[in-house]
Amino acid sequence: MNIEKILIVGSGAREHAVCRSIIRSDKPKELFCIGSNNNPGIISLCSNFLIANINDPKVIMEFAKEMKCTLAIIGPENPLGEGVADILGDLGIGVVGPQKKLAQIETSKSFARDLLNEFEIPGSPKYETFKSMSGVEGFLDQLGDDFVVKYDGLAGGKGVKVSGEHLLSTNDALAYCQELVGAGGHFVIEEKFIGEEFSLMSFCDGNELKHMPAVQDHKRAYEGDTGPNTGGMGTYSDADHSLPFLNTDDIEQAKNINRKTAEALKSKYGEGYKGILYGGFMATSNGVKLIEYNARLGDPEAMNVLSLLETDMIDICKAIESETLDELSVKFKNKATVCKYAVPEGYPDDPIKGEAIDVSSVSDPDSLFFASVDVDNERLIEAGSRTVAVVGIADSISDAEKIAEEEISRVKGPLFHRKDIGTTKLVKQRVDHMSALR
Ligand code: AMP
Ligand code: GLY
């Protein structure tokens, strides 16, 4: 049997989780990684680890050639936006991650909205795209109090401003639009949905989709969903692969939107989307709505779902490459998970950097995922973004939360985490919010 030589692009906790899922496979394999920081968790699993600009397709191509990689999994969105999947595909490498034109589903907000509109896929808001102030005021008038303004490109989650939260008046909205016009940017204004958010990710081989358990992320930095937006402070999933505030029909609607979107991409480009299609949804009183698409695994969502994955990850990747996902049964354990991130003091606006942390007291090293860390003189140091994550796994969300909370509290250093993620109190608030809306 040939050894599968697998390249992982990216060096955060999501990629650490991907590496672990690959290592669990009993197939002969070797792992290689290109990353931006010395992630000791990934390094310990790889034959070769290169620090380089992960957004430069040429650098990645050279490394993949040199290491004779046969398969690649692209973690973050920026390399996808730069066409890394295209260039690796041209080398004959099987790639889990869509080509640049298909990754527009994430890299361009207007592309995603226009696609859903063109193919009459349910879940779309009223929206319009702009590149000047012409028509902005009129459209804001039409939407009334509930609107969202989105910069039309990758902005690490910082380009989206929501009425009532970041934009407290029409004047605030006009000023933000003006700022985007001034910066030469296109933007989308859309209707604001009210409800509860959840992520539903699907493996996709261009034709067939295999869905993962639904997950809820917590984007705000501080407890009680206050403070600035972040990449995600923590996540939970439930043993039945749904979420306590969702019903079976909500999950079916989200799966249907993902399926129709994959079909639309194939029919638009004649080529299928191969990778992970990640729908960010909102359950509302009026059905499930699409907030955004991502063209990759979520972070932290990857830690929840990959910790439950029972099917061999190499088999999944090979099935995506060969368009045979329909022949593979993709299974996840029926357990609940809670993932919590510890982040540097000051994160996300003014994070400290370079301070030492100590993870030696974490009792189950398999539950610990390294993210934005570096190694300096054999000390583990914070590299400035989300630092380490832990996942608790149990029969119920509340038991998984207790495990995650105990473990993350054992990480020492100038860090903080959200104690409330996955607690019965917070989950009940979500359930009550949803029941009040329905
Ligand atoms: P995005 O980068 O598109 O995920 O947007 C970031 C966050 O903005 C989302 O997680 C939502 O909380 C919020 N958001 C984006 N679009 C909408 C919308 N149409 N209605 C309500 N909230 C939204
Ligand atoms: N958890 C949000 C994201 O990965 O975009």
Side-chain angles (χ1 to χ4, degrees):
M1 210 184 208
N2 286 339
I3 294 192
E4 210 63 65
K5 292 181 168 237
I6 305 173
L7 173 66
I8 308 294
V9 177
S11 54
R14 165 183 46 210
E15 290 76 26
H16 189 189
V18 169
C19 288
R20 281 207 174 128
S21 71
I22 295 283
I23 290 295
R24 285 202 301 269
S25 163
D26 54 17
K27 308 258 173 333
K29 73 254 168 207
E30 226 184 318
L31 270 177
F32 302 86
C33 177
I34 301 198
S36 38
N37 55 296
N38 278 301
N39 181 321
I42 296 180
I43 290 173
S44 70
L45 302 175
C46 283
S47 308
N48 205 319
F49 180 91
L50 177 72
I51 297 268
N53 176 4
I54 62 168
N55 301 322
D56 183 343
K58 265 174 58 195
V59 172
I60 293 177
M61 179 184 75
E62 292 304 332
F63 186 67
K65 267 208 255 181
E66 201 185 325
M67 299 299 136
K68 301 191 166 53
C69 293
T70 51
L71 197 60
I73 305 173
I74 301 170
E77 60 276 23
N78 284 307
L80 293 166
E82 296 298 330
V84 167
D86 307 56
I87 210 157
L88 292 178
D90 290 346
L91 288 179
I93 295 173
V95 186
V96 177
Q99 295 170 14
K100 182 177 177 167
K101 57 181 184 252
L102 300 165
Q104 284 184 90
I105 197 76
E106 170 162 7
T107 59
S108 165
K109 307 273 185 201
S110 60
F111 175 90
R113 288 294 180 220
D114 290 346
L115 187 85
L116 266 79
N117 206 20
E118 184 183 341
F119 288 84
E120 296 177 3
I121 299 172
S124 289
K126 271 189 228 143
Y127 77 101
E128 271 186 32
T129 55
F130 299 90
K131 52 180 184 242
S132 74
M133 293 304 285
S134 164
V136 166
E137 214 166 337
F139 191 56
L140 283 172
D141 273 351
Q142 246 189 67
L143 292 182
D145 289 339
D146 294 326
F147 57 83
V148 182
V149 182
K150 299 183 168 186
Y151 168 70
D152 194 12
L154 291 180
K158 297 200 173 71
V160 176
K161 299 209 177 194
V162 180
S163 68
E165 292 181 38
H166 319 93
L167 305 171
L168 299 178
S169 63
T170 309
N171 277 346
D172 282 0
L174 291 171
Y176 181 51
C177 294
Q178 190 66 62
E179 186 187 320
L180 293 173
V181 172
H186 294 200
F187 55 97
V188 176
I189 301 180
E190 65 187 36
E191 177 190 350
K192 175 184 169 183
F193 296 128
I194 314 284
E196 279 297 325
E197 284 185 61
F198 64 100
S199 309
L200 193 113
M201 304 183 287
S202 311
F203 292 110
C204 181
D205 69 0
N207 304 300
E208 179 74 12
L209 278 80
K210 295 285 175 171
H211 309 288
M212 306 184 211
V215 182
Q216 189 174 47
D217 190 11
H218 298 72
K219 293 225 160 96
R220 298 300 197 95
Y222 312 138
E223 274 151 35
D225 290 321
T226 56
N229 270 330
T230 70
M233 294 293 289
T235 30
Y236 64 86
S237 72
D238 207 352
D240 62 359
H241 299 168
S242 180
L243 289 162
F245 54 86
L246 297 178
N247 56 42
T248 322
D249 189 47
D250 295 325
I251 295 283
E252 284 313 311
Q253 288 181 46
K255 288 178 177 172
N256 182 45
I257 295 172
N258 279 4
R259 197 176 308 116
K260 288 204 143 79
T261 299
E263 280 166 17
L265 283 167
K266 177 138 193 196
S267 109
K268 194 169 180 73
Y269 288 109
E271 277 174 85
Y273 179 103
K274 292 183 168 206
I276 287 105
L277 189 59
Y278 161 168
F281 295 102
M282 179 97 76
T284 75
S285 58
N286 196 17
V288 168
K289 307 291 181 186
L290 179 84
I291 297 286
E292 63 159 355
Y293 264 116
N294 293 317
R296 52 174 173 82
L297 281 165
D299 185 347
E301 288 91 334
M303 277 79 86
N304 301 82
V305 297
L306 295 180
S307 296
L308 298 175
L309 183 63
E310 287 182 326
T311 309
D312 186 310
M313 183 66 163
I314 295 184
D315 283 343
I316 296 177
C317 296
K318 298 289 287 174
I320 291 174
E321 179 191 0
S322 59
E323 300 181 20
T324 53
L325 256 187
D326 58 332
E327 293 166 20
L328 191 68
S329 157
V330 176
K331 292 216 165 95
F332 295 87
K333 284 184 201 131
N334 282 103
K335 293 274 184 189
T337 62
V338 172
C339 177
K340 297 197 187 203
Y341 255 116
V343 302
E345 284 174 3
Y347 175 82
D349 293 335
D350 190 18
I352 56 164
K353 231 178 139 167
E355 296 292 326
I357 62 162
D358 177 5
V359 297
S360 59
S361 306
V362 172
S363 64
D364 176 9
D366 286 343
S367 75
L368 179 69
F369 296 85
F370 291 94
S372 176
V373 289
D374 237 311
V375 180
D376 178 35
N377 276 331
E378 296 185 15
R379 286 182 329 154
L380 190 62
I381 58 166
E382 296 174 86
S385 195
R386 293 176 294 174
T387 313
V388 292
V390 299
V391 175
I393 305 174
D395 287 328
S396 67
I397 296 171
S398 74
D399 286 348
E401 189 279 331
K402 289 187 186 84
I403 298 169
E405 182 57 34
E406 274 174 22
E407 290 286 42
I408 202 77
S409 303
R410 294 182 177 124
V411 178
K412 302 293 176 231
L415 300 152
F416 72 95
H417 70 274
R418 273 184 62 168
K419 290 192 175 60
D420 60 346
I421 292 170
T423 55
T424 306
K425 186 175 165 211
L426 197 62
V427 174
K428 184 174 179 299
Q429 276 173 22
R430 310 283 197 237
V431 173
D432 291 348
H433 181 214
M434 213 51 238
S435 333
L437 288 174
R438 288 200 208 261

